[in-house]
Amino acid sequence: MFSRKKPPPIKSLIAQGTRVQGDVLFADGLRVDGEVIGDLRSSAEPSIVVVSESAKVEGAVHAAHVIVNGTVEGPVHATELLEVQPKARITGNVHYKALEMHQGAVIAGQLCPAAPLLLEEKPTLKLASNAQ
C-alpha cells in the first residue's frame, strides 16, 4: 500500500566497546553500537544511521534516515525519516521530515518538522469595494 524506498546498505560499524573521539563522515549506512564523541554526518544521499540500544553519541547526527534506540546528546537532523525507538533518549532538538516515535522514547528538546517546500508566490488578494 505505502511504498518505501529501500534503505542503503549499512557498510560501517562502530562496535560495542569502541570509543571514537572526533567527527565521523560516512557514506550509505552506519551502525553505532559503541560510543562516539563528535558529530555523525553522511556524505551522500540516501543515507541511514542506526544508534543502537547500547550506543551513546555526544554530538550532532545528520542523515536522511535516522534510527535511534540508544542515547544521543546533541541535535538530530533527519532529512527524510526519524525513528525514535522505545529505549531512545535524545537530549537536543530534532529536525525531521517524517517522525515515528515509539512508546517509552524520550526527547528532551524541540521537535522541528521540516519547513514545507516554498510554494510559488500567490498573487495578493484584493478585497472588492462597494465604491463605484
Side-chain angles (χ1 to χ4, degrees):
M1 186 164 141
F2 294 104
S3 64
R4 272 192 160 174
K5 297 177 188 173
K6 185 177 176 189
I10 294 178
K11 295 181 178 179
S12 303
L13 168 69
I14 297 174
Q16 190 170 4
T18 302
R19 182 180 192 182
V20 175
Q21 290 185 308
D23 296 344
V24 177
L25 185 64
F26 65 94
D28 295 326
L30 169 68
R31 180 180 174 94
V32 180
D33 291 335
E35 186 177 354
V36 176
I37 300 172
D39 295 349
L40 302 176
R41 186 177 301 271
S42 67
S43 62
E45 295 290 329
S47 59
I48 185 170
V49 64
V50 178
V51 178
S52 74
E53 183 179 339
S54 62
K56 181 176 182 181
V57 176
E58 292 179 28
V61 177
H62 296 266
H65 186 174
V66 179
I67 302 171
V68 179
N69 200 26
T71 303
V72 176
E73 295 176 2
V76 176
H77 299 266
T79 57
E80 291 298 323
L81 174 63
L82 171 61
E83 292 181 49
V84 188
Q85 297 185 337
K87 300 206 179 197
R89 301 291 177 262
I90 299 174
T91 304
N93 296 341
V94 293
H95 305 265
Y96 57 89
K97 185 174 182 181
L99 174 67
E100 180 179 318
M101 187 168 176
H102 295 253
Q103 183 176 347
V106 175
I107 297 175
Q110 290 185 329
L111 300 176
C112 307
L117 296 174
L118 295 175
L119 301 173
E120 293 179 21
E121 281 194 40
K122 296 179 181 175
T124 349
L125 294 177
K126 294 182 181 178
L127 296 174
S129 68
N130 290 338
Q132 291 181 357

